[in-house]
Amino acid sequence: MSTLIATKRVDLLAPYLALPQGPRVQAEYIWIDGDGGLRCKTMTLDSKPESVADLKEWNFDGSSTNQAPGHNSDVYLRPVAIFKDPFRAGDNILVLCECYDNDGTPNKSNYRAHCKKVMDAAAAEDPWFGLEQEYTLFDADGQVYGWPKMGFPGPQGPYYCGVGAGKVFARDFIEAHYRACLYAGVNISGINAEVMPSQWEFQVGPCPGIDMGDHLWMARFLLLRIGEEWGIKPSFHPKPLKGDWNGAGCHSNFSTNATRTPGTGMQAIEEAIKKLEKKHLEHIAVYGEDNDMRLTGKHETASMSTFSAGVANRGASIRIPRHVGAQGYGYLEDRRPASNVDPYRVTAILVETTLLN
Ligand code: ADP
Ligand code: MN
Ligand code: MN
Ligand code: MN
Ligand code: MN
């Protein structure tokens, strides 16, 4: 049913999208709202901008997005990154924005402003990140996408990286998102079907510094936006279904000049892990809402209350990938962040704890 509707809608829109638009360009301004969701609105530009410096600051009604009170509702949008627009194509663009209040301070939803300062302070160490975004698909009725309307699919086992009808759900939607990311300029590095049926993962990275948060948020935007056409609602909740179904995380891979140096890299990784252990609870505090429902010690997670680390250990807080252990340098994987974590927060605190303190 939803596939039929989707096909029809695309056919209706296609001739209009093919009309020439002259020199004018549509810029979709995108921002993070007061609940960690995404919002957007469009501005017509007279010509194609060269960089964010050519883009106007804009504003919106923050009382409608849980970002400001009604009596002082204007919130400002400052463009920070440009991506190509896979929906309108041509010279049209997606513009990621930071939110600022009237008094010039970052809005409460804006974790990028602080993250940018942290990344600038640590620039000499050239921090890189790779985030593994897990998410779960729901249909328009709020049921897990593709699951039987009565009852449940068979237990977990055949679904992770699965192939075949009944094992894999909505592959066409996943493909559309992957290609849209590549077109837009998002540094997406791969995808895979997850352990729970209708749960998926995409990876973004390695990205240096502030780019990590920018690219992950844009990938999330594309996922939600394409979902409109399929009638699919991707959820970033870390435990979307109670019971014997895997939760969803956002494993955060992290390296620096020191950890990437052959010969001495492993020593730098071990030093970083010691620092991370001392700040375990501070990290957990910013690693996403409802993460306690996911970090139970089951389903390939470590318990939330204790810190652990190990080579190739998927039940640890921090895992050193097997190949990193073998070659003696590279990166570590922080397995604690939930799927709904703000990437600006996780990348900032990793750098603060290991490089700036
Ligand atoms: P897993 O085995 O945990 O499922 P994935 O292949 O899903 O691993 O993800 C690995 C991630 O690590 C990717 O996002 C990749 O970009 C990232 N990555 C690879 N090398 C580095 C590095 N040197 N520094 C930071 N991240 C890296
Ligand atoms: Mn209006
Ligand atoms: Mn992965
Ligand atoms: Mn995964
Ligand atoms: Mn992982």
Side-chain angles (χ1 to χ4, degrees):
M1 184 63 181
S2 62
T3 314
L4 260 180
I5 293 167
T7 310
K8 202 169 169 212
R9 283 192 50 190
V10 169
D11 287 344
L12 284 174
L13 179 58
Y16 299 95
L17 283 180
L19 293 173
Q21 64 186 94
R24 303 183 93 192
V25 168
Q26 289 161 296
E28 191 75 40
Y29 276 49
I30 298 162
W31 71 96
I32 301 153
D33 71 17
D35 305 297
L38 285 157
R39 308 276 176 145
C40 61
K41 61 175 187 166
T42 315
M43 179 195 283
T44 305
L45 310 177
D46 287 335
S47 63
K48 189 186 170 185
E50 297 288 330
S51 74
V52 286
D54 295 338
L55 290 166
K56 275 186 248 173
E57 198 171 285
W58 206 6
N59 57 51
F60 65 94
D61 166 18
S63 73
S64 299
T65 62
N66 192 20
Q67 290 179 270
H71 63 269
N72 186 15
S73 66
D74 275 9
V75 176
Y76 291 90
L77 291 171
R78 285 196 201 150
V80 292
I82 296 176
F83 294 84
K84 286 169 72 181
D85 183 342
F87 308 105
R88 297 176 172 130
D91 284 339
N92 302 300
I93 53 174
L94 305 176
V95 178
L96 188 69
C97 299
E98 273 190 40
C99 294
Y100 282 86
D101 291 341
N102 226 353
D103 62 3
T105 59
N107 183 262
K108 65 172 184 164
S109 72
N110 179 357
Y111 292 103
R112 188 184 188 278
H114 174 70
C115 183
K116 179 77 168 67
K117 284 188 191 147
V118 168
M119 295 306 164
D120 288 346
E125 270 295 331
D126 197 12
W128 296 358
F129 306 92
L131 264 49
E132 304 169 45
Q133 175 71 66
E134 294 181 342
Y135 57 98
T136 312
L137 305 181
F138 286 82
D139 66 22
D141 303 329
Q143 301 221 16
V144 184
Y145 188 86
W147 282 27
K149 290 288 172 200
M150 314 285 269
F152 292 90
Q156 294 184 161
Y159 308 112
Y160 170 75
C161 300
V163 181
K167 293 183 190 155
V168 96
F169 298 86
R171 198 188 286 280
D172 55 352
F173 168 69
I174 301 309
E175 283 298 322
H177 174 254
Y178 197 169
R179 189 64 65 90
C181 282
L182 290 174
Y183 175 86
V186 170
N187 184 18
I188 186 167
S189 41
I191 58 158
N192 61 268
E194 269 303 334
V195 174
M196 171 182 157
S198 226
Q199 197 170 80
W200 288 84
E201 169 179 314
F202 62 79
Q203 301 96 30
V204 177
C207 291
I210 198 70
D211 286 2
M212 183 68 251
D214 292 351
H215 282 236
L216 192 78
W217 273 115
M218 191 51 68
R220 286 178 177 175
F221 171 81
L222 293 172
L223 193 74
L224 297 171
R225 172 64 183 78
I226 296 167
E228 290 175 13
E229 285 153 31
W230 260 260
I232 287 177
K233 292 192 266 189
S235 164
F236 298 111
H237 194 277
K239 191 73 180 179
L241 238 66
K242 295 216 168 77
D244 212 7
W245 305 106
N246 271 32
C250 190
H251 296 166
S252 301
N253 301 277
F254 171 50
S255 68
T256 63
N257 277 339
T259 71
R260 293 188 297 265
T261 302
T264 53
M266 188 52 68
Q267 199 186 323
I269 290 173
E270 279 161 10
E271 281 162 17
I273 290 173
K274 278 196 204 116
K275 291 179 180 173
L276 290 167
E277 177 164 22
K278 292 201 185 98
K279 300 265 165 150
H280 177 61
L281 292 178
E282 287 93 327
H283 280 249
I284 289 291
V286 301
Y287 277 5
E289 295 283 313
D290 293 327
N291 206 12
D292 53 314
M293 297 169 71
R294 162 180 167 261
L295 292 182
T296 56
K298 288 189 210 155
H299 301 114
E300 297 175 55
T301 70
S303 111
M304 185 142 140
S305 54
T306 50
F307 181 93
S308 56
V311 174
N313 183 356
R314 288 176 190 265
S317 315
I318 305 282
R319 162 178 158 252
I320 299 169
R322 173 84 66 205
H323 70 276
V324 172
Q327 72 191 10
Y329 65 92
Y331 61 95
L332 61 83
E333 177 191 45
D334 189 342
R335 299 176 61 81
R336 296 170 293 175
S339 44
N340 59 1
V341 72
D342 188 316
Y344 297 126
R345 298 184 87 177
V346 60
T347 57
I349 198 171
L350 281 169
V351 166
E352 287 176 296
T353 297
T354 63
L355 297 178
L356 301 184
N357 276 338

